[in-house]
């Protein structure tokens, strides 16, 4: 029999990728295409779902062509995706009724405030769904679309509209769209809507009613690893089982083999997301973290995680590049930052869409503090990288407090882990070793594993553990007094960003 492969579709915030993996978990080929970031007004972030679907088809074709393979060589397809980015589409036409509202978007703040005012404040639903009321999650985004797109609510009440994060949108189209497309999501994506009971993994009818979301719009909740359907005839993978779905951060946790209680990973992407495996019981957070589903493999019990979500890390580097013109390529930030020994006393707090974990302050806005005439763009480039590390430290402190167990090392992945200066500073400010695996594309790899396990391509978690290999390790090398001093100044800088948004600020 010819060698088989698994293809993972990684539908991310800035691009869609398809990656072909072999049985050893190594990358065979990649197709990638960026999609437009749409900013209709301050605080609004949108994507065109049709552009995303077109790009997904293109990148799958690219990955197959570059490897000189066809659908006959593919054992399964896995999907991983930007979570909380909400798509609402018409089941009869297959067309979205509005652009996808992206996880970073803050337009739903008034909806969140109205719900909080019903009683319980931002924690109104937290004991049931594991999440605070925030603009981050999908539920209020659905409500906004139904309230603001002409005719949408009427169609939704008639059962004509479907909702999904981008995993459901891609799956529905891949399995036929208007001609029998499968409307399903997995437990990890459902746990990011603010509509799913975190203990029973079912939709909460009462919360959906309060949010004004008809249950008929919601996809069926399934495990992260099972055959949901098969590629449509006429598509790039006709008849191939689509057998794994994991939200991007949960996929990276799976790809990093964080199967033991107390293991954690941190992904450095558009934002940063640290997940800590807490086992088969959900752990409520007292320190500003989210209780989320890490994964559920077939009929096995679901595994939970505590998550620290940071909105802006890699996108701060993009902002320096695109909005301020500091450099032409994002990776050039390391060259500028390495030209100075420290940040020159400057700190950047990138609260572009408020602060996520552990603060959950939608009234915060970005600030650069500690400026003097001495500070130049090299210092600011360094301060941008350090902001990523400081925010990660705040999340790690919250995790240690919630779990009662101090983390001994941090597994890292994502694009920014190529940045040696950042990774060394991360180890220094955390005072624990930072470890990068050989395959840094752990998000796509996690989705591939979930799909491959469902069809028997991999036997199970042990294969994931056996395939994981360390690539590089950074160990702390900073005096504790200097670590404490810098962290104290960072905390002080964060305080300067709070209470910025008044009622008359858009």
């Amino acid at each position: 029999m010819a060698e088989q492969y698994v293809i993972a579709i990684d539908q991310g915030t800035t691009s869609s990728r398809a990656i072909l993996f072999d049985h050893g978990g190594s990358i065979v080929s990649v197709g990638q295409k960026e999609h437009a970031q749409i900013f209709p007004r301050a605080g609004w972030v949108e994507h065109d779902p049709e552009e995303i679907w077109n790009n997904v088809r293109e990148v799958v074709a690219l990955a197959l062509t570059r490897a000189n393979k066809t659908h006959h060589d593919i054992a399964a397809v896995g999907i991983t995706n930007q979570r909380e980015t909400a798509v609402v589409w018409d089941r009869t036409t297959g067309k979205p009724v509005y652009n996808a509202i992206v996880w970073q978007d803050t337009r739903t703040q008034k909806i969140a405030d109205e719900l909080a005012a019903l009683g319980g404040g931002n924690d109104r639903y937290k004991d049931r769904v594991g999440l605070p009321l925030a603009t981050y999650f999908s539920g209020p985004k659905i409500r906004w679309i139904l309230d603001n797109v002409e005719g949408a609510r009427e169609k939704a009440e008639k059962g004509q509209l479907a909702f999904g994060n981008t995993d459901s949108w891609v799956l529905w189209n891949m399995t036929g769209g208007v001609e029998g497309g499968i409307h399903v999501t997995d437990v990890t994506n459902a746990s990011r809507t603010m509509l799913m009971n975190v203990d029973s993994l079912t939709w909460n009818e009462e919360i959906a009613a309060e949010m004004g979301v008809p249950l008929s719009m919601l996809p069926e909740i399934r495990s992260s690893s099972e055959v949901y359907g098969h590629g449509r005839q006429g598509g790039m993978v006709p008849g191939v089982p689509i057998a794994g779905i994991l939200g991007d951060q949960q996929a990276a946790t799976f790809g990093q083999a964080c199967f033991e209680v107390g293991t954690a990973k941190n992904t450095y992407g558009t934002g940063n997301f640290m997940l800590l495996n807490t086992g088969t019981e959900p752990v409520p957070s007292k320190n500003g973290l989210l209780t989320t589903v890490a994964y559920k493999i077939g009929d096995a019990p679901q595994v939970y995680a505590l998550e620290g979500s940071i909105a802006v890390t890699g996108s701060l580097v993009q902002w320096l590049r695109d909005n301020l013109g500091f450099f032409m390529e994002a990776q050039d930030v390391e060259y500028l930052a390495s030209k100075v020994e420290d940040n020159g006393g400057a700190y950047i707090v990138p609260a572009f869409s408020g602060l996520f974990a552990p603060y959950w302050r939608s009234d915060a806005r970005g600030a650069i503090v500690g400026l003097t005439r001495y500070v130049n763009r090299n210092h600011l480039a360094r301060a941008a990288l350090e902001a990523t590390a400081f925010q990660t430290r705040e999340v790690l402190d919250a995790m240690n407090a919630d779990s009662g167990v101090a983390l001994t090392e941090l597994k890292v992945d994502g694009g920014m882990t190529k940045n040696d200066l950042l990774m060394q500073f991360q180890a220094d400010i955390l005072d624990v070793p930072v470890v990068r695996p050989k395959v840094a594309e752990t998000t796509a790899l996690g989705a591939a594993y979930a799909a491959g396990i469902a069809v028997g391509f991999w036997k199970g978690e042990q294969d994931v553990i056996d395939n994981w290999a360390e690539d590089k390790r950074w160990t702390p090398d900073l005096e504790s007094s200097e670590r404490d001093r810098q962290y104290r100044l960072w905390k002080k800088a964060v305080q300067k960003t709070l209470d910025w948004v008044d009622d008359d600020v858009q």
Side-chain angles (χ1 to χ4, degrees):
M1 225 176 102
E3 187 176 356
Q4 292 268 291
Y5 305 87
V6 171
I7 199 161
I9 294 166
D10 180 356
Q11 201 301 291
T13 307
T14 56
S15 70
S16 299
R17 295 184 300 174
I19 304 184
L20 206 62
F21 290 98
D22 65 18
H23 195 267
S26 297
I27 293 173
V28 178
S29 66
V30 182
Q32 179 166 3
K33 195 167 185 195
E34 290 195 3
H35 53 263
Q37 305 295 312
I38 303 161
F39 305 105
R41 61 173 83 170
W44 291 29
V45 191
E46 297 176 2
H47 296 154
D48 176 352
E50 293 192 274
E51 181 189 11
I52 284 173
W53 168 231
N54 288 334
N55 287 0
V56 164
R57 293 154 71 189
E58 204 169 310
V59 297
V60 169
L62 272 172
L64 288 171
T65 305
R66 285 170 177 165
N68 204 23
K69 305 296 173 195
T70 72
H71 65 276
H72 295 296
D73 304 300
I74 308 303
V77 177
I79 297 172
T80 180
N81 61 294
Q82 51 168 328
R83 307 166 306 170
E84 306 96 13
T85 294
V87 186
V88 174
W89 69 94
D90 190 314
R91 296 175 192 274
T92 52
T93 65
K95 299 285 184 191
V97 300
Y98 189 77
N99 277 339
I101 301 182
V102 179
W103 57 272
Q104 301 152 306
D105 189 286
T106 58
R107 78 184 69 183
T108 55
Q109 188 57 54
K110 281 195 170 66
I111 294 171
D113 291 344
E114 283 169 21
L115 293 167
L118 296 174
N122 286 341
D123 288 343
R124 179 170 178 78
Y125 306 130
K126 197 170 185 189
D127 60 335
R128 289 174 279 174
V129 302
L131 313 172
L133 267 167
T135 58
Y136 181 25
F137 307 110
S138 317
K141 296 178 171 67
I142 308 170
R143 158 87 173 269
W144 189 93
I145 290 172
L146 297 185
D147 285 352
N148 290 276
V149 175
E150 195 176 339
R153 183 163 291 286
E154 191 183 348
K155 282 184 177 173
E157 301 290 358
K158 288 179 182 166
Q160 276 177 253
L161 300 189
F163 151 77
N165 292 341
T166 60
D167 64 304
S168 297
W169 169 245
V170 169
L171 176 71
W172 188 78
N173 281 294
M174 284 189 79
T175 52
V178 292
E179 293 173 4
I182 306 282
H183 188 212
V184 157
T185 191
D186 90 302
V187 290
T188 68
N189 274 286
S191 77
R192 315 299 293 192
T193 59
M194 230 194 299
L195 297 168
M196 187 191 84
N197 297 305
V198 77
D199 51 0
S200 63
L201 311 185
T202 54
W203 296 121
N204 186 303
E205 295 183 28
E206 189 186 337
I207 296 174
E210 267 189 18
M211 262 188 221
V213 175
L215 288 173
S216 62
M217 294 180 72
L218 304 179
E220 183 187 346
I221 302 172
R222 304 270 280 274
S223 81
S224 312
S225 176
E226 61 178 271
V227 176
Y228 311 109
H230 295 80
R232 68 201 166 93
Q233 294 307 310
M236 294 311 303
V237 285
V240 176
I242 302 166
I245 300 175
L246 284 160
D248 52 10
Q249 304 314 321
Q250 286 94 336
T253 308
F254 201 80
Q256 284 273 38
C258 292
F259 302 134
E260 296 289 319
V261 174
T263 50
K265 69 87 207 178
N266 196 27
T267 297
Y268 296 72
T270 305
N272 262 37
F273 302 88
M274 193 188 295
L275 271 77
L276 174 79
N277 183 322
T278 60
T280 53
E281 292 294 323
V283 174
S285 173
K286 297 181 176 69
N287 294 283
L289 303 177
L290 310 175
T291 302
T292 197
V293 182
Y295 57 87
K296 176 174 165 55
I297 301 305
D299 295 330
Q302 64 267 27
V303 171
Y304 291 94
L306 282 170
E307 175 176 330
S309 315
I310 303 166
V312 178
T313 55
S315 53
L316 174 57
V317 175
Q318 289 176 326
W319 180 77
L320 291 181
R321 180 192 69 190
D322 301 340
N323 293 41
L324 300 190
F326 268 32
F327 34 76
M328 296 295 286
E329 302 289 338
Q331 59 264 32
D332 294 341
V333 70
E334 185 173 13
Y335 170 70
L336 292 189
S338 64
K339 287 163 73 170
V340 289
E341 287 186 8
D342 55 35
N343 60 21
Y347 290 79
I348 303 177
V349 185
F352 293 154
S353 50
L355 287 169
F356 282 15
Y359 297 98
W360 298 105
R361 291 288 294 265
S362 58
D363 61 348
R365 284 298 175 268
I368 305 176
V369 299
L371 292 178
T372 60
R373 281 291 298 271
Y374 170 68
V375 172
N376 60 36
R377 71 175 183 159
N378 301 330
H379 294 113
L380 292 179
R382 191 173 185 111
L385 294 179
E386 290 181 355
T388 296
F390 284 127
Q391 291 181 98
T392 298
R393 164 74 188 270
E394 291 192 290
V395 165
L396 184 70
D397 286 354
M399 275 192 179
N400 288 344
D402 270 339
S403 66
V405 183
L407 200 70
T408 53
E409 68 173 30
L410 183 64
K411 290 180 172 180
V412 298
D413 54 71
M416 291 178 90
T417 61
K418 296 188 189 87
N419 190 313
D420 276 303
L421 189 149
L422 169 60
M423 290 296 103
Q424 183 56 53
F425 187 73
Q426 186 68 88
D428 286 343
I429 215 71
L430 294 182
D431 199 25
V432 297
V434 167
V435 185
R436 182 179 68 197
K438 282 208 164 128
V439 178
E441 298 297 349
T442 54
T443 300
L445 184 57
Y449 280 139
I453 287 169
V455 298
F457 183 79
W458 285 293
K459 288 190 177 64
E461 293 169 12
Q462 192 56 49
D463 279 351
V464 182
I465 294 164
D466 294 344
N467 284 347
W468 191 94
E470 182 176 312
D471 174 47
K472 189 161 185 181
R473 177 179 290 260
W474 293 267
T475 51
D477 184 27
L478 190 65
E479 292 286 334
S480 60
S481 57
E482 179 59 14
R483 179 184 307 114
D484 294 344
R485 185 188 76 84
Q486 292 207 36
Y487 191 45
R488 183 190 82 235
L489 290 169
W490 164 261
K491 292 283 224 183
K492 199 170 164 184
V494 170
Q495 293 304 313
K496 308 294 182 194
T497 71
L498 305 178
D499 294 315
W500 183 258
V501 178
D502 298 326
D503 288 343
D504 59 352
V505 173
Q506 288 295 315

